[in-house]
Amino acid sequence: MAHSAHVDDYALGRVPTTARKHWFGIAVQRFGQISALSQFLLGATLGYAMTFTDAFLAILVGSIILEVVMCFVGRNEGLNTALMARWTGFGEVGASLVGLAIGISLIGWFGIQSGISAESLNALMPGVLPVWAWSVLFGLAVTAVVAFGFGGMQWLANITVPLFLVLVGWSVTRELSRHDIGALLRSEPAGDPMTIFQGAGLVAGGVIVGAIITGDMTRFNRTNADVVKQTVVGVSLGEFVIGLAGVLLAHAARSGDIVAIVTSSVGLVGLIIVITGTLKINDWNLYSSSLGLVNFVSTTFGKQLHRASTTVVLGIVGTVLASVGILQQFTGFLTLLSVAFPPIAGIMVAEYFIVKRFRPELDATRERGLLPATAPRIVPATIAIWLISSAVGFFVTWGIPSVLSLLLSMVLYIIAGRLGLVRGVGVAKTPESATAQQADTAHSA
């Protein structure tokens, strides 16, 4: 059973200390997750609307927000996000909804990203295969890697991240060599101006879902200090290196269309950049989606699904939907769903560090590498706070909505905790198969 838990990446239990990884390898994965095509696009958007100095400050503020959220959410409990939610304010029912939200949202983005890469492959080799066929090949390739779990994704990161960096460095250097760098640093933006606050909101909002599910990655860290190190290194490099490159390219080309900038200036290499950049974020979309749905099915139906098998099924479904173009119609729905994520982090952080209503159960089982034997069935106050904060994040448009809803959920949960309203209704036992698996793993370790 210990071997089974290893292959399954401990989807329903703690990652034992013997399976933890060095922080630098995880930082490479974090950098790969941040430094995707979307980050290039974000940098170009900022550069098209802001001076270089203002864009730098926007990226700095946005990065600090993300790193603070990631470091607090990614505490060293060895539990994935959906599983951790059971003992950080949500209870079994709330945690199942968290898992479902993660599963649906990220498999949708997995399919959409597969479609984007398929269009790039078609542009790279026109006429070789139709776009839908490229979408299938790309989606299945990512699915095969993710089926091997964290180890397979580390292998992918070790290849794609250095390649992405080399190609980006070459393409940016080649394009910028035609311009006076000093003039670009001082030049005015070509588009309608944007404030630093608005820019910081784009930076933080663009990766906020990744920040909320950071526990799926940091559960493999050895210590809380390692969580901080891999987060600061991975996020800072991803945001500043790729983001500022996009800013400079936007100033050089006087355009916000980064894909057109890259592909028109460096052709083949530009398309490979698009593909490698998308590849490295898409594996995490699928991985976290599978963890979310495994936990949803476990808590809702009492069925212990195998993560690798679930990954294959989800990957095939997402790939098929992407290849026929269905998922493009759901972008608005996925964007709407994303407003539910920031309050999840706010509630989890408030419970774990301040209210601590259910924290003792985690503390009592951490050293033995086990799960608490029980969890609250449902916490009504949490569900109400989650809904209220999500609504505020959706309807309030000033400031940084994602950060506002996160902070609001924290404040409301702390108030509810002080008033004694954070109470579990009913008791849910941790499945015996999960506790047995954890005990066997801990014993083997």
Side-chain angles (χ1 to χ4, degrees):
M1 293 185 72
H3 177 69
S4 175
H6 174 70
V7 172
D8 207 28
D9 266 4
Y10 315 98
L12 293 172
R14 293 184 188 268
V15 176
T17 55
T18 53
R20 305 293 177 95
K21 314 292 182 183
H22 191 277
W23 72 268
F24 185 77
I26 303 177
V28 171
Q29 293 213 52
R30 174 66 76 193
F31 174 83
Q33 186 187 47
I34 297 294
S35 61
L37 174 63
S38 57
Q39 192 60 33
F40 232 156
L41 179 60
L42 174 62
T45 300
L46 296 178
Y48 189 62
M50 308 176 77
T51 64
F52 180 84
T53 300
D54 285 351
F56 177 89
L57 292 174
I59 291 174
L60 176 62
V61 173
S63 297
I64 291 174
I65 292 173
L66 289 172
E67 288 170 8
V68 169
V69 173
M70 288 179 177
C71 288
F72 276 105
V73 175
R75 52 217 165 270
N76 190 38
E77 287 287 348
L79 299 172
N80 64 61
T81 305
L83 186 58
M84 182 75 174
R86 296 186 196 180
W87 296 279
T88 49
F90 284 88
E92 187 184 50
V93 172
S96 71
L97 295 176
V98 169
L100 182 62
I102 292 173
I104 293 176
S105 178
L106 295 186
I107 195 59
W109 289 118
F110 165 80
I112 289 173
Q113 292 279 4
S114 294
I116 292 173
S117 295
E119 293 173 1
S120 301
L121 287 167
N122 186 60
L124 175 63
M125 293 173 282
V128 176
L129 287 174
V131 174
W132 69 264
W134 283 124
S135 183
V136 169
L137 289 177
F138 183 87
L140 294 181
V142 175
T143 300
V145 170
V146 178
F148 285 97
F150 196 86
M153 293 160 66
Q154 186 68 63
W155 172 83
L156 179 65
N158 291 342
I159 295 175
T160 58
V161 169
L163 178 61
F164 183 78
L165 275 176
V166 170
L167 294 179
V168 166
W170 181 83
S171 64
V172 171
T173 302
R174 184 175 184 272
E175 175 65 20
L176 295 182
S177 65
R178 306 170 185 173
H179 302 270
D180 182 342
I181 299 298
L184 291 181
L185 295 176
R186 296 187 300 270
S187 64
E188 293 297 317
D192 295 331
M194 179 189 301
T195 67
I196 295 175
F197 202 55
Q198 290 172 324
L202 289 179
V203 173
V207 196
I208 195 67
V209 174
I212 305 316
I213 59 171
T214 195
D216 295 350
M217 182 183 294
T218 58
R219 65 200 181 106
F220 285 94
N221 281 120
R222 295 169 178 169
T223 65
N224 285 320
D226 283 356
V227 171
V228 175
K229 285 186 286 187
Q230 68 95 353
T231 299
V232 172
V233 171
V235 173
S236 297
L237 287 178
E239 292 287 353
F240 282 99
V241 173
I242 306 304
L244 290 180
V247 170
L248 287 175
L249 285 177
H251 276 260
R254 312 301 289 172
S255 170
D257 188 349
I258 193 66
V259 176
I261 294 171
V262 174
T263 56
S264 64
S265 62
V266 292
L268 173 63
V269 173
L271 287 168
I272 297 176
I273 289 173
V274 172
I275 294 166
T276 54
T278 307
L279 186 69
K280 193 58 207 78
I281 191 175
N282 224 19
D283 60 348
W284 273 100
N285 284 335
L286 181 57
Y287 184 72
S288 290
S289 176
S290 66
L291 291 176
L293 287 180
V294 164
N295 277 277
F296 170 72
V297 171
S298 173
T299 55
T300 305
F301 303 105
K303 301 290 185 181
Q304 310 298 311
L305 298 182
H306 194 277
R307 185 208 56 82
S309 303
T310 304
T311 296
V312 172
V313 173
L314 286 176
I316 292 174
V317 170
T319 297
V320 171
L321 293 177
S323 67
V324 298
I326 291 178
L327 288 176
Q328 295 294 343
Q329 310 302 318
F330 288 90
T331 303
F333 169 71
L334 295 175
T335 302
L336 173 63
L337 187 62
S338 67
V339 304
F341 284 88
I344 294 174
I347 291 168
M348 293 177 73
V349 169
E351 161 59 30
Y352 190 83
F353 290 101
I354 301 174
V355 177
K356 299 182 180 180
R357 174 65 179 79
F358 311 105
R359 172 76 177 270
E361 298 171 40
L362 287 172
D363 292 341
T365 56
R366 186 184 306 111
E367 291 300 320
R368 292 177 293 157
L370 305 177
L371 293 177
T374 62
R377 175 64 179 162
I378 186 172
V379 185
T382 296
I383 303 301
I385 292 169
W386 188 11
L387 292 174
I388 292 170
S389 302
S390 298
V392 170
F394 178 72
F395 290 108
V396 177
T397 57
W398 56 269
I400 306 175
S402 57
V403 176
L404 176 63
S405 63
L406 186 151
L407 293 176
L408 176 62
S409 65
M410 287 186 65
V411 171
L412 292 179
Y413 190 88
I414 292 171
I415 292 174
R418 293 291 184 262
L419 295 176
L421 300 177
V422 176
R423 301 172 183 171
V425 176
V427 176
K429 292 184 177 180
T430 301
E432 292 184 7
S433 55
T435 54
Q437 184 185 76
Q438 285 291 289
D440 186 62
T441 302
H443 177 72
S444 298

